[in-house]
Each structure stands twice: as structure tokens, then as C-alpha cells.
Amino acid sequence: MDVEQLEKKAIEMRKATWEMIYRAKTGHTGSDLSCTDILVALYYKVLNQTPETFKSENRDRYVQSKGHAVEILLNVLADRGYFPKDDLLTYSQFKSPYIGHPNNHIKGIEMNTGSLGHGLALSVGIAKAAKMDDKDYHTYVLMGDGEQAEGSVWEAAMAAGNFKLDNLTAIIDHNGLQITGKTKDVMNSEPLKAKYEAFGWNVIEIDGNDMSQLVDAFDMKSVQNKPTLILADTVKGCGVSFAENKAEWHHKVPTEEQYKEALDVFDKELEERK
């Protein structure tokens, strides 16, 4: 897909996620919307992985450490054909495998995640294994900025730099908000760029809701002997004006009126891109 097609796909995925959260009456709405562009860039442009190659030893790996944003991940996987879209009608229902965090009983999901601070360490292990086994697959991991308060993140960051894992790319969904407020007020982890660079990382700072910047960043991710961090500045609730930059939308379900209002916006945007 080119950038315009990816932008349109991101609107479609925001709409599908918005509908699923409204239908299920649960979901991390603001978090899903902030990282939608990142997942669309990965799954429709970057990842060397398809439903047919998901069990291949040389497939690229993706770990969603920011596991609470599972709704957008599930919609992207369904749209890519990893499982039928109708399966998501059971999301968060009794005995459904489609639950509030990534579940590796579902095709397309590498491992269970959502206990924040674990995804980077797991990804370091996957990338290190690729080096040891002389495999050329790349590992990607998405974290939240609130997650950077976890000490295990920094142990993993140090290890990645120490082992010179140039086959590892981490992305931070840097929207400045978490469930209890602004990240700088809850537990200030800035300056993230300088800290990761001090651990030996190549850091690319971009607008994470700008598809062309995302595509360019993924294209230039590889620096010899260094893991890469894409520090993606995003807007929590991106795409729904009344939810943007509001911590209360970290985990909030739209009312019927809000649901219809945002749906009208998505439909109008899609119509304009026909």
C-alpha cells in the first residue's frame, strides 16, 4: 500500500474498533486510537508476515507490550485475514478467546501480553535468539509511554544495547497520557530520547499519527550494531475530536450519541477518499 491507501485503511480500522468497543461496552478506546496508524503501517507495509507464513521460522515477529490496546490489534489481524471478522462479534463475551488483552491462542498473536514492562524484555530474547540461530527475521515491539515507568523496561533496554540487537525495533506510543493522568505527573520518564541513546539505541523521533513519517521511519530503522527506537508522538483518542488528549478516554465506552457522532465523521472521511 502507498501512503494514501494506508491513511484510508487507518480510518477504516479506527471505525471498526470504535464499533467493536461500542458493541462490547468495553475497551481502551483512547489507547487504541492513538496507535492505530502505527499498527496499520506495520501490518500493511512493514512486517514480513502473513496469515499463511505466521508459523514460518523466518517471519518477522510483533509483540504488543501495550496489551490493553488489543481492540485495534484484533481488528487489524481480522482485516488481514488471520481469522474471520465475524469472530470479533464475540469480543469480551463469556468463553470467547477474544479478550481484553492479547491471547496467543489466537492466530497472529505471538504471546500473551498486557502486564506492562514485559514486552521489551521478551522481544530482546526473541531478537537475541535470531542472532544465535543465524536467522534474518526482525522483531518489533510496541510500548506505551506510561509503561516506561517499569524498571524491567530499562533492564531490557540495557540488554538490547549491550547485545547490539540491530534486528530489534521498539516503538513507543508517546501520547503523554495514562489511566491516571499525564505521564509527566504520574511518573516522569523524560527525556526518553536521551535515555535510550545512552543505552546504545538509535532513536528516531516522529509524529506517530503521520503515516508518511511512520513509513519513512520504518524504512530507515536499521543501524548496524544498534537496536532502534521509534519515539512516536501521538494523540490519545486520535480521530475522535471529543476524545483527543483526554485521559478519561483511556478506558471509556462512547454513549449512543458519541458513537453516532464519531461514526459520521469516519464515514465522511472515507467518502472523501473514494
Side-chain angles (χ1 to χ4, degrees):
M1 286 189 175
D2 61 25
V3 168
E4 287 188 5
Q5 291 172 316
L6 291 168
E7 289 172 342
K8 182 181 179 183
K9 181 58 67 176
I11 298 169
E12 292 174 356
M13 291 299 96
R14 281 190 170 92
K15 178 184 175 182
T17 300
W18 185 256
E19 291 177 311
M20 188 171 83
I21 290 172
Y22 178 74
R23 182 174 60 245
K25 304 304 180 190
T26 185
H28 285 82
T29 312
S31 302
D32 288 312
L33 297 175
S34 72
C35 65
T36 296
D37 302 292
I38 296 167
L39 265 69
V40 167
L42 277 167
Y43 275 94
Y44 297 86
K45 184 75 172 179
V46 176
L47 277 179
N48 180 24
Q49 183 195 115
T50 66
E52 293 73 31
T53 64
F54 182 63
K55 293 297 183 181
S56 167
E57 287 188 5
N58 282 317
R59 73 186 183 282
D60 285 348
R61 271 67 165 177
Y62 172 69
V63 175
Q64 185 146 313
S65 188
K66 182 185 172 174
H68 52 280
V70 70
E71 293 87 11
I72 181 59
L73 175 60
L74 291 175
N75 275 284
V76 166
L77 290 174
D79 191 65
R80 291 284 286 114
Y82 284 81
F83 49 81
K85 291 183 181 181
D86 283 351
D87 284 6
L88 295 184
L89 295 173
T90 70
Y91 175 65
S92 280
Q93 294 183 14
F94 184 57
K95 291 189 177 181
S96 173
Y98 302 96
I99 55 178
H101 286 84
N103 168 19
N104 67 358
H105 289 287
I106 296 169
K107 185 177 181 180
I109 294 179
E110 295 286 348
M111 56 186 60
N112 302 333
T113 57
S115 181
L116 296 179
H118 291 178
L120 183 60
L122 292 165
S123 299
V124 167
I126 295 169
K128 178 63 173 170
K131 293 283 189 182
M132 295 173 70
D133 293 340
D134 198 27
K135 302 290 185 183
D136 60 3
Y137 62 81
H138 202 92
T139 299
Y140 300 85
V141 55
L142 176 66
M143 298 180 283
D145 49 1
E147 183 176 359
Q148 304 307 299
E150 298 285 355
S152 52
V153 168
W154 298 103
E155 291 181 71
M158 178 170 59
N162 178 71
F163 293 123
K164 299 178 172 54
L165 298 179
D166 50 14
N167 59 344
L168 172 66
T169 296
I171 310 103
I172 296 179
D173 183 8
H174 192 231
N175 60 41
L177 292 169
Q178 58 192 91
I179 193 168
T180 51
K182 296 180 179 179
T183 54
K184 68 178 183 179
D185 296 332
V186 177
M187 181 62 69
N188 187 14
S189 57
E190 302 293 345
L192 288 173
K193 183 176 188 292
K195 288 178 179 178
Y196 273 87
E197 286 177 337
F199 280 111
W201 287 63
N202 166 48
V203 180
I204 304 169
E205 191 166 11
I206 63 166
D207 179 344
N209 296 129
D210 184 309
M211 193 62 72
S212 61
Q213 290 189 38
L214 278 165
V215 170
D216 288 345
F218 283 120
D219 279 347
M220 61 184 179
K221 65 181 181 297
S222 296
V223 172
Q224 190 172 11
N225 295 324
K226 284 188 175 185
T228 289
L229 172 71
I230 297 176
L231 188 56
D233 295 327
T234 59
V235 174
K236 191 138 190 149
C238 182
V240 178
S241 60
F242 55 80
E244 290 184 348
N245 288 317
K246 293 181 180 174
E248 66 194 70
W249 277 93
H250 179 87
H251 191 289
K252 184 176 179 179
V253 176
T255 64
E256 182 179 359
E257 182 180 354
Q258 290 169 331
Y259 167 71
K260 291 178 178 178
E261 181 181 343
L263 216 58
D264 286 343
V265 172
F266 293 136
D267 286 339
K268 182 178 179 180
E269 290 176 339
L270 289 171
E271 181 66 26
E272 289 173 350
R273 289 176 178 270
K274 280 187 175 179

